[in-house]
Amino acid sequence: MGTADSTGEAARLAELLSTLKERSGLSYGALGKRLHLSASTLHRYCNGDAVPADFAPLNRFARLCRATPEELVEVHRRWILADAAREHRGKGGGGADVVPAADSGTPADTPVARNAPDAPDAPDTPDAPDTPRPRRRLVLAATAGVVAVAAVGALLVGRLGGEGAGAGAGAGEAAGAARGPVASSPAAGSGSPSPSGSASGEPSASPSDSGTPSASPGSSAEGKPAAPAPTGVPFHASVRAHAWENQCSQRYLVDREPDAVRPPPVEQDAPAWVAAMGAVSADEQVVEVTLQGKGSETVVLQALHVRVVRTGEPLAWTDYGTGVGCGGGVALRAFDVDLDQGAPAARAADGQRPFPYKISESDPEMFRVTAHTGGRDVSWYLEVEWSSGERQGVFRVDDRGRPFRTSASDGRPAYDYPPGASEWSEHQPG
């Protein structure tokens, strides 16, 4: 959790949270007990004194307060802006901003460092008169410094041996991460681009930067050094591969007997539970994708596509539910995907406006995709077509470099974990 001034973006977020809380008619104590949060923590969220480091607590808070689908999206949008503003103030306006990452094997939405903008080119200055003696002194001093550093480095390498090589590799990886997403162009005519690996847990991106204007390297029309052309994906992405409608809505298939399956997790801990149990979403999987532009650059999101990697017979595993007795919840199905179709497509549902969309740093978008199957085991991922100026590309959305996986559970043994229970019990229909 981070602190925040009760002004600006944090205040706008707090205003909406307070409205939802008052409308629910529940006290801070009652809400906190059901959300497993202290009343004082919720009070700080609602008066703008604090902004949570991840969205999951506010998502559960808004759902418990019976927020409408539009209000849920607005809470998420205001949290993104408030969190970015808090991190920006915390770093004194410089360095790397922090945003939530895609769902990973750790509790949801671990912060990931944003890339700092490129430094502007230094302005041209008149040539200084020749001053050979001071320049010679500087060259000699620099040469002596290089020799000294090389000698110390050689001594350390001689003593540390293999450890020095490992440290060098780590430094290289850190430097590479600071440069931002790696963009790889797919082969001409390829139906889907090859995914690029992402050791940081971010969604893998395979943009095709075709259309970038060509220029003579190192110079402009005026003979001055040319600014480097933009590269990489012009937006940040946060992916939640295991978003739920409510605590009781999600079920998973696990290839284990009940006594070998851990108690069901809460939503923010679902990625870690799924990884530990080797679980697969049963019948339905909800994925939330948040895209936010970098800087003042406007990005047009042209289309959202579904790509199927593999399909087969449903898994013959046991079905486990995440909860019982929750009652009805707010169903959000902004984009619906029927994985049983020959060519699944993301179709706008419940009044959702279809693509295209526009995003920028101050105007992010959150897309909620509900994929379902009634008779198959399907591995799939999403692709977002984007354009910005004369650049365009395709961004792959998946589960930390792996496809999402959803399997039908019809006819499989089913178990639930009732409130207060200490073990799984057979599912009781209805």
Side-chain angles (χ1 to χ4, degrees), residues 1 28-29 32 37-50:
M1 179 194 306
Y28 285 111
L37 295 171
S38 68
S40 61
T41 296
L42 287 178
H43 188 265
R44 294 180 69 198
Y45 292 165
C46 291
N47 65 17
D49 286 342

Side-chain angles (χ1 to χ4, degrees), residues 184-194 208 210 307 383 392 394:
S184 59
S185 298
S190 173
S192 60
S194 301
S208 171
S210 58
R307 305 297 186 196
E383 285 182 344
Q392 58 186 356
V394 176

Side-chain angles (χ1 to χ4, degrees), residues 208-213 229-234 297 386-393:
S208 171
D209 280 331
S210 58
T212 304
T231 60
V233 181
E297 189 175 8
W386 61 267
S387 63
S388 180
E390 296 186 0
R391 293 194 298 146
Q392 58 186 356

Side-chain angles (χ1 to χ4, degrees), residues 24-419:
S24 73
L26 298 174
S27 66
Y28 285 111
L31 287 168
K33 185 175 297 184
R34 297 180 66 176
L35 296 172
H36 305 290
L37 295 171
S38 68
S40 61
T41 296
L42 287 178
H43 188 265
R44 294 180 69 198
Y45 292 165
C46 291
N47 65 17
D49 286 342
V51 175
D54 61 71
F55 179 64
L58 298 189
N59 182 42
R60 291 183 288 125
F61 172 87
R63 291 172 183 275
L64 186 57
C65 293
R66 300 293 184 182
T68 65
E70 293 77 14
E71 287 170 335
L72 283 170
V73 172
E74 182 61 18
V75 170
H76 194 267
R77 189 185 74 84
R78 294 192 189 189
W79 171 79
I80 292 173
L81 298 176
D83 184 63
R86 173 178 60 80
E87 295 292 346
H88 187 72
R89 284 194 300 271
K91 295 184 179 297
D97 292 335
V98 175
V99 295
D103 268 347
S104 63
T106 58
D109 298 330
T110 306
V112 173
R114 290 182 186 162
N115 303 312
D118 293 333
D121 291 337
D124 291 341
T125 56
D127 291 339
D130 291 336
T131 53
R133 290 182 180 178
R135 183 176 298 174
R136 185 175 182 181
R137 293 192 190 99
L138 289 175
V139 171
L140 290 174
T143 303
V146 170
V147 171
V149 170
V152 173
L155 178 60
L156 289 176
V157 170
R159 290 185 177 181
L160 297 179
E163 294 180 6
E173 291 171 2
R179 288 194 294 269
V182 178
S184 59
S185 298
S190 173
S192 60
S194 301
S196 60
S198 178
S200 64
E202 296 181 356
S204 57
S206 300
S208 171
D209 280 331
S210 58
T212 304
S214 59
S216 299
S219 63
S220 64
E222 294 79 10
K224 299 179 181 179
T231 60
V233 181
F235 51 83
H236 302 288
S238 171
V239 179
R240 297 180 61 225
H242 297 280
W244 299 350
E245 300 292 354
N246 57 56
Q247 179 67 32
C248 300
S249 65
Q250 186 62 51
R251 304 190 69 85
Y252 290 99
L253 293 171
V254 182
D255 191 19
R256 302 189 185 195
E257 294 299 320
D259 57 1
V261 177
R262 296 178 184 175
V266 293
E267 183 179 359
Q268 66 266 31
D269 295 335
W273 187 91
V274 168
M277 296 292 98
V280 172
S281 296
D283 300 325
E284 180 177 279
Q285 183 167 0
V286 181
V287 176
E288 285 185 356
V289 184
T290 302
L291 304 178
Q292 182 180 18
K294 298 177 180 178
S296 59
E297 189 175 8
T298 298
V299 182
V300 179
L301 307 177
Q302 303 286 4
L304 178 65
H305 301 294
V306 181
R307 305 297 186 196
V308 173
V309 177
R310 188 193 64 80
T311 182
E313 294 299 317
L315 295 173
W317 296 358
T318 304
D319 179 12
Y320 295 92
T322 56
V324 294
C326 295
V330 179
L332 290 177
R333 304 177 71 90
F335 289 91
D336 187 85
V337 177
D338 184 355
L339 295 174
D340 292 331
Q341 291 186 343
R347 305 187 185 280
D350 297 335
Q352 177 75 28
R353 177 171 63 85
F355 278 74
Y357 283 81
K358 288 185 179 180
I359 59 171
S360 63
E361 185 176 36
S362 60
D363 191 17
E365 288 284 356
M366 189 270 282
F367 304 101
R368 189 178 180 90
V369 179
T370 302
H372 52 88
T373 175
R376 306 297 291 171
D377 171 22
V378 185
S379 297
W380 57 281
Y381 62 91
L382 300 170
E383 285 182 344
V384 178
E385 289 187 29
W386 61 267
S387 63
S388 180
E390 296 186 0
R391 293 194 298 146
Q392 58 186 356
V394 176
F395 186 83
R396 170 168 166 157
V397 178
D398 55 26
D399 188 4
R400 296 175 293 124
R402 300 187 302 269
F404 306 114
R405 189 176 182 185
T406 313
S407 176
S409 66
D410 187 37
R412 303 309 308 157
Y415 290 84
D416 290 317
Y417 207 96

